[in-house]
Amino acid sequence: MEHEHFKRVAEYVAMQCTGCSDSPMILAFKAYEVMKKAVDNDENPYKKLNDFLGTDISEVTLKKL
């Protein structure tokens, strides 16, 4: 269940990255992998997502997606 949520969050945030070198779907996949790895390492997946994509979307907002 958590992984489906991470996919939605990764897709949503990746769509905010206009003009990026990768397509939004490639970015979403990479962002999803970053989030999964963060959980495996007991790190905050939302912070890692923002760090990876250079975004600053609040964790509260991301959890509601």
Side-chain angles (χ1 to χ4, degrees):
M1 184 66 127
E2 182 178 72
H3 291 294
E4 287 301 314
H5 172 71
F6 285 171
K7 284 182 182 176
R8 278 196 308 276
V9 170
E11 288 174 9
Y12 170 81
V13 178
M15 293 301 173
Q16 312 304 310
C17 296
T18 56
C20 293
S21 57
D22 288 328
S23 74
M25 290 314 293
I26 300 287
L27 276 179
F29 175 78
K30 289 179 179 179
Y32 170 67
E33 293 296 317
V34 165
M35 293 181 81
K36 283 197 316 184
K37 185 176 177 185
V39 170
D40 291 344
N41 293 330
D42 292 323
E43 298 173 317
N44 182 326
Y46 303 102
K47 180 177 181 342
K48 289 293 182 181
L49 174 72
N50 275 319
D51 290 349
F52 175 71
L53 292 174
T55 53
D56 190 24
I57 300 172
S58 80
E59 190 171 327
V60 172
T61 299
L62 296 175
K63 285 182 176 178
K64 289 181 182 178
L65 294 176

